[in-house]
Structure formats: structure tokens, C-alpha cells
Amino acid sequence: MSTDVKTTTTPPRRGAERPGRPKGTPRRGERREAWFLVLPALVPIALFSVYPLIQGVYLGFTDAEAGLNQTADFVGLENFERLLGNDMFWNSFRIGLVWAFSVTILQFFAGLGLALLLNLDLRLRWLARTLALVPWAMPPVIVAIMWRLMLNPNYGPINGWMDAIGLPGDINWLGSFSTALPAVIVVGVWAGMPQTTITLLAGLQSVDATLHEAAAVDGASTWQRFRHITMPSLKPVIVAITSLDFIWNFNSFGLVYVLTAGGPGGKTMLPMLFAYNEAFRYGNFGYAAAMGDVMVVLIVVLLLFYLRSRFRKEA
Amino acid sequence: MSTAVWKEPKPASRALQYVALVGYLLFLGFPLVWMLSTALKGPQEIGTSTTFFPRDPTLGNFGDALQRADLLLSARNSLLVAVATTVLVIVVALPAAYALARFRTRFRALANGWIIVSQVFPVVLIIIPLFLILQQFDLDDRLVGLTIVYVVYSLPFGLWMLQGYVASIPRDVEEAGAIDGAGRLRILRSIVLPLLIPGVVATAMFTLISSWNEFFFALVLIQSPENSTLPLTLARFVGAEGQVQLGALAAGSLIATIPSLIFFSIIQRRLTSGLLSGAVKG
């Protein structure tokens, strides 16, 4: 890709310094100018992003391994055949789906509720708005550290509250089989609130107010107005943000890596963590890339289904 | 604005709304407050009680955190990488964003498409070849290599944001300048650029925050402690923490969050509106 970019633009004419051209003249110079301006951004993206991506997808069909002088040979579908029989991978896949669906759905409802509140004239709205944005600015590593403090079996306040209301107050939230995944999901919701809330709030604020007024005059209840005016106009925003949230959640890494590193006993081993271990702990680059390929296919298929069903309903 | 409709709700539903709001405030805010409270407690207190207010508030943990050579070095590394990334992204993206917004070319569709594609593909696919490439040029485990990666990964989004800001400047402004006989470069420098400054600041802050916060690429590409960034060092600290260390860990985490929070508060309003303008006009 980068090569034909270069050939079309090698003569850097001095078009950039020509004074404002009257309208309607040929746009050749303009086009060249555009290339000239875009090139410094395009070349690095092509070299360090597009090329590695294509190469990464291809590596899934090779036996590439870590090490400086390794050669990668094309092995066809061998990695994928091996993957089929790898129960641990499919288990991690299942965990990834549970995680991504739970976080996305909870995030959506929590975000919608908060956005509706922020759209009202409430006191303390400024504080809620600011707090809703803070997780966005925090490094995922620190979000994880913070929640480790919250969930700490001895020191954490959550166990303290449990104790205070007469429930068992010695739960090792991140360390026991049954609670690790739910605990991690709650942290995921916390960390992802900002984008969801702000996007939905922006959507709410662009809902036509006159529609609401007309419906109110006609005697529609708050719920009816929400159901028949707010929700339909929010639909495109909802589809967009839930799709993005799902992708982000399914591909997320840092948060859970620091919270549990995939433990206990692989109960929170998201597919990204699994693939990371495969690649950089065991050095099986080809095999790990094959896992990445499977993840892409799954995300694309799920998104297609989701978007198609959404837009068909609309038609 | 749609708030007008709900101006006078029943007292009962208003009360419920406040209950819900307080619930959100607790969920969102309490973990932050708890981290602060932990950072202010002495080691014995963390070991013995779980009260909310520190009985004997101390800044000792912050002192300890700031005295750790590895934390300071990582903070310096993080800052270097973040600033270098930001400067490079702006320098490279500004002309490109202008071209994307002003000339109707296929680039725009291409750039937007690429942003989506790069979100869908898990980074593990990209990082393996990238790791191999950087290794070939002897750039793995070096801040230069990490900076290159950050620049490339911040570029598409930076382009998208800046392009929205450029598109919001009316063309007439430029054409007026042209009629007055100003050259293209002069128009760009003395008319377009000043109008773009807020957008550039917002994009720069956003890039700065994302590089400062980034973890995955750093984890893969950086091995030696002296080249570690702050998130890496803190993540390593997590494994080794004992009950007694929690205070220092909380203090270090707070210190590491402060720069992001400051930058974020500067651009808070502009960022959300910028994202929206990018979305609408993109």
C-alpha cells in the first residue's frame, strides 16, 4: 500500500504556496496538495499499523515462534485445527463472552439511568457529571489497583459492609471461583461508564423537545413519552455505543490483567489474556495469532447480526 | 432543551430521582475516596482496622512513594513518551486533518474506516508483528520504539478529532483571506491556525492522557525496569504488595492519576463537544 502512495505523489509541486484559486478551476493541484499533507500521517500508519495487522492475521496460518532467527512457515489451517481441540481456549472464549455481554448490558442500563438523571435539573448534577467522567481519565492499571483495595478480603470496605449487615464478611472476592468473574464485571462497568453515559446524554439532549411538549399536551405519561419519543430517537446512538462497548470489552486486557491475571484457576481468563500468555509467555506467536483471528471473526459475526437485526426492525 | 418538560415532577418521583443520584454518586465516587483514605493511613492502621476516616492522617505514604527511585524513573519515562507522542501526533496530524476536512477525497472515508477496523481487531494480532519489526530495528525495550507505537495508534483518532474541528471553521473565512490577497500559507498560519487552537489543545490533551495511561503495548515492548512506564511499574508493584504496602500503593496510584485528571479537567467540556462535532461532521 505504501508503495503506490509514493509513486502518485513523488513530484511535490509548489501548489501549497499558490494563492487562493478561483472556484471552478481543475482540481489536480488541489488533489496533489492533499496527498502531500496527508502523507506524513499515512506512511507511519501504513508501516506500523496496517502492515502489522495484515501480517498478524497471516501469522495465524504459520508456525511462527518467538526468537530472533525463527522462520515462519505457512501451515494452512493447522493452528485452527489445534484450537478446535483446545478446551482451555474455548473456555476462555466463553468467559470472554459472558464478560463482554454482562459488562456491555449493565453499562448500558447504568449509563442510560445516569444520563436520564443528568438530563434533569437536579442538584449535585455537576458532581455526578464529573465523577462519571473520571474513570475515563484514569489508567486502567490504577482503576484495577483501586478496586483491589475495595475488594481486599481483610481491608476492603465491601467486606466491612457485608459484615455490618450480618452477611459473611470474609469473602475473597477476586480469589474464589464463584465471585471472581462477577466482581471483575462490576469493575468493568465502573471503568466503562463515562463513554456510555456521555454518549447517551448527548443523544438525549438532541431529542426534539417540541415532540415531548406536544405529547405532554396530549396527556402522554412520562413513561409513554420515554417509550415512544425518547427511545426511538436514541436508537442510532444506542446501537453505536453498545456495539463499540462490546468490542472494547471483548478486547479489553489491562483491567483484568491487574485485577486477577486471569485467575483463580482461569475463571477470569479473557481471550486477550489467554492469547497474550500464549504469545509472550510461551512464545507461540502463530498459535496466538490464530486465536486473535478467531476473536475477530466472532466479533464481526456478532456485530453483523446485531446491526442487521437493529436496522431491519427500523425498516 | 428537553429538561423543560419535566420541570415540575411529583415530589415522590423527585425524591426517587435523588435516591438514584446518590446511589450513582456512591458507586462512582466511593472507590476514589477509599483510595485517598487508604493513602492517608499509616501501616498499623491499615493492618488493624477498616474505618473510613483515617484516625491519624499521615502523608508518609506519599513521601515513601515519591522516594522510590523506580517510581520516579517510571514517571519520567511516562512523561517523556507521552509528551513526545503528543508533539509528533499534532505535527503530523494537523496538516493531514486539514486536507481531510477541506478536500473531498477518499481519505476521509478511508481514515474513518480504519478507525473502526483498528477497534475491531484485538491488539494481540498487531502487537506480534510489531514486536518483531521493532526487534529487527533494535527498538524493542526502548522508549523510542514505544513512542513510535503510541504515535501510530493515536494518529487515527487524533486525525478524526482535528478533522472535525477544521470542518467547523467556515470556508468563507479562508476565501475572504484569499480575496484580500493573502497567500495560502498566510491564510493557514494567521487565520485557520488561531481558530484551531482550542481543537489542537483538546486533541493534544487527549493524546497525552491516552499515552500516559497505556498499558498493553508497554507490557509487551518494555522489559527492563529502567525503561518501564508508570503503569508498568505500578502493575508490578501489585504482585509484590503486602497488607502493609497498601498505603504506599494507593499513594503512588493517586500521584499517577493526578496528571491525567488535571489535563482532563482542562478539556472536559471541549472533549465531549469535540467528539460530537467529529461524529456529526465526520
Side-chain angles (χ1 to χ4, degrees):
Chain A
M1 187 173 178
S2 55
T3 45
D4 43 345
V5 166
K6 268 175 207 140
T7 49
T8 40
T9 48
T10 21
R13 291 219 308 202
R14 301 181 50 82
E17 268 135 62
R18 232 185 305 159
R21 187 181 309 103
K23 278 178 187 171
T25 47
R27 305 197 110 198
R28 249 178 187 260
E30 227 175 42
R31 180 158 293 177
R32 193 157 286 147
E33 216 170 89
W35 274 111
F36 187 68
L37 293 174
V38 167
L39 213 59
L42 211 59
V43 171
I45 292 181
L47 228 57
F48 289 102
S49 192
V50 179
Y51 169 73
L53 185 76
I54 295 167
Q55 178 76 7
V57 172
Y58 168 74
L59 275 181
F61 299 87
T62 70
D63 60 359
E65 280 181 17
L68 267 181
N69 296 314
Q70 293 285 339
T71 51
D73 293 316
F74 183 78
V75 294
L77 296 176
E78 202 186 292
N79 287 328
F80 298 93
E81 280 162 28
R82 263 175 71 204
L83 263 185
L84 268 181
N86 187 341
D87 290 340
M88 272 162 67
F89 176 68
W90 294 113
N91 196 34
S92 122
F93 222 80
R94 200 184 47 78
I95 292 167
L97 285 177
V98 171
W99 148 272
F101 273 110
S102 315
V103 175
T104 305
I105 291 168
L106 291 172
Q107 235 165 33
F108 168 68
F109 284 110
L112 182 63
L114 183 56
L116 285 168
L117 287 174
L118 291 179
N119 202 28
L120 299 175
D121 246 342
L122 297 180
R123 254 167 250 182
L124 289 179
R125 188 168 67 155
W126 62 272
L127 182 61
R129 196 190 135 91
T130 311
L131 281 179
L133 282 170
V134 164
W136 202 347
M138 285 175 76
V141 169
I142 288 172
V143 174
I145 290 175
M146 187 180 73
W147 277 93
R148 283 175 67 99
L149 294 175
M150 289 289 289
L151 295 163
N152 187 297
N154 307 311
Y155 171 70
I158 293 183
N159 272 346
W161 298 332
M162 297 278 289
D163 210 27
I165 57 171
L167 291 167
D170 56 350
I171 299 172
N172 189 356
W173 294 98
L174 294 170
S176 53
F177 278 25
S178 53
T179 53
L181 189 56
V184 167
I185 286 172
V186 170
V187 183
V189 173
W190 190 92
M193 283 288 282
Q195 293 91 323
T196 318
T197 309
I198 292 308
T199 314
L200 290 172
L201 181 60
L204 281 178
Q205 290 180 340
S206 65
V207 173
D208 192 349
T210 55
L211 281 178
H212 269 287
E213 275 154 28
V217 169
D218 288 344
S221 71
T222 313
W223 169 249
Q224 281 171 327
R225 275 181 283 143
F226 175 74
R227 177 83 187 63
H228 296 289
I229 296 172
T230 310
M231 284 311 271
S233 18
L234 265 188
K235 201 170 190 179
V237 178
I238 292 175
V239 173
I241 193 65
T242 45
S243 308
L244 272 174
D245 275 343
F246 184 82
I247 299 172
W248 286 332
N249 290 327
F250 193 73
N251 288 338
S252 96
F253 177 86
L255 196 63
V256 178
Y257 181 86
V258 178
L259 275 172
T260 62
K267 285 287 173 203
T268 56
M269 187 65 81
L270 304 184
M272 263 294 285
L273 273 84
F274 197 94
Y276 166 80
N277 283 340
E278 198 63 46
F280 295 101
R281 192 159 285 184
Y282 310 122
N284 299 324
F285 283 170
Y287 199 39
M291 293 176 184
D293 289 339
V294 175
M295 288 168 69
V296 178
V297 172
L298 177 105
I299 292 177
V300 170
V301 168
L302 283 175
L303 276 183
L304 283 182
F305 266 109
Y306 181 58
L307 294 177
R308 238 182 60 167
S309 71
R310 288 297 101 181
F311 287 116
R312 187 172 291 168
K313 265 183 203 162
E314 209 146 296
Chain B
M1 202 167 269
S2 48
T3 42
V5 182
W6 289 301
K7 264 233 163 97
E8 282 164 53
K10 293 181 212 114
S13 60
R14 176 106 307 182
L16 271 179
Q17 286 163 359
Y18 273 106
V19 170
L21 190 70
V22 169
Y24 276 112
L25 288 177
L26 282 177
F27 175 59
L28 291 168
F30 190 82
L32 296 166
V33 182
W34 186 253
M35 182 157 74
L36 181 63
S37 145
T38 308
L40 294 174
K41 287 174 184 167
Q44 316 90 304
E45 194 179 342
I46 290 175
T48 53
S49 84
T50 59
T51 45
F52 176 60
F53 289 105
R55 257 173 305 162
D56 198 7
T58 162
L59 288 176
N61 290 322
F62 289 93
D64 287 352
L66 285 177
Q67 263 166 14
R68 288 182 56 128
D70 55 342
L71 273 187
L72 282 185
L73 186 61
S74 324
R76 191 201 68 125
N77 290 343
S78 277
L79 193 69
L80 266 178
V81 172
V83 170
T85 303
T86 306
V87 171
L88 286 171
V89 164
I90 295 297
V91 168
V92 170
L94 200 53
Y98 180 79
L100 284 183
R102 280 295 187 253
F103 307 115
R104 290 218 156 258
T105 57
R106 254 166 286 162
F107 293 133
R108 199 173 345 171
L110 214 73
N112 290 341
W114 177 247
I115 290 175
I116 309 248
V117 168
S118 61
Q119 301 288 318
V120 169
F121 283 79
V123 269
V124 74
L125 275 181
I126 300 165
I127 193 66
I128 298 173
L130 206 50
F131 178 73
L132 294 172
I133 295 171
L134 290 176
Q135 214 170 36
Q136 258 169 24
F137 293 101
D138 211 16
L139 286 172
D140 64 314
D141 198 16
R142 288 178 56 187
L143 295 178
V144 182
L146 194 63
T147 307
I148 294 176
V149 174
Y150 284 2
V151 169
V152 172
Y153 280 88
S154 311
L155 261 179
F157 201 71
L159 269 176
W160 185 64
M161 271 179 85
L162 280 176
Q163 181 246 146
Y165 290 113
V166 175
S168 67
I169 299 176
R171 263 167 192 267
D172 305 357
V173 179
E174 284 176 58
E175 272 153 23
I179 289 165
D180 291 347
R184 181 118 209 164
L185 267 186
R186 254 204 73 199
I187 296 176
L188 288 182
R189 213 186 41 227
S190 47
I191 302 179
V192 179
L193 202 57
L195 289 172
L196 262 183
I197 292 289
V200 170
V201 170
T203 314
M205 296 290 165
F206 190 81
T207 313
L208 205 61
I209 294 173
S210 1
S211 327
W212 176 267
N213 290 353
E214 206 282 333
F215 178 61
F216 182 72
F217 287 130
L219 177 71
V220 172
L221 294 176
I222 303 291
Q223 273 92 42
S224 40
E226 69 267 22
N227 285 335
S228 285
T229 58
L230 205 46
L232 266 187
T233 306
L234 284 169
R236 251 181 233 133
F237 196 16
V238 166
E241 102 219 16
Q243 192 81 354
V244 197
Q245 293 267 43
L246 287 179
L249 183 62
S253 302
L254 276 174
I255 295 172
T257 315
I258 288 168
S260 305
L261 284 182
I262 292 175
F263 292 136
F264 196 76
S265 61
I266 299 174
I267 54 161
Q268 207 213 82
R269 192 149 303 164
R270 191 152 280 142
L271 181 68
T272 43
S273 65
L275 291 181
L276 289 175
S277 79
V280 173
K281 278 153 191 149

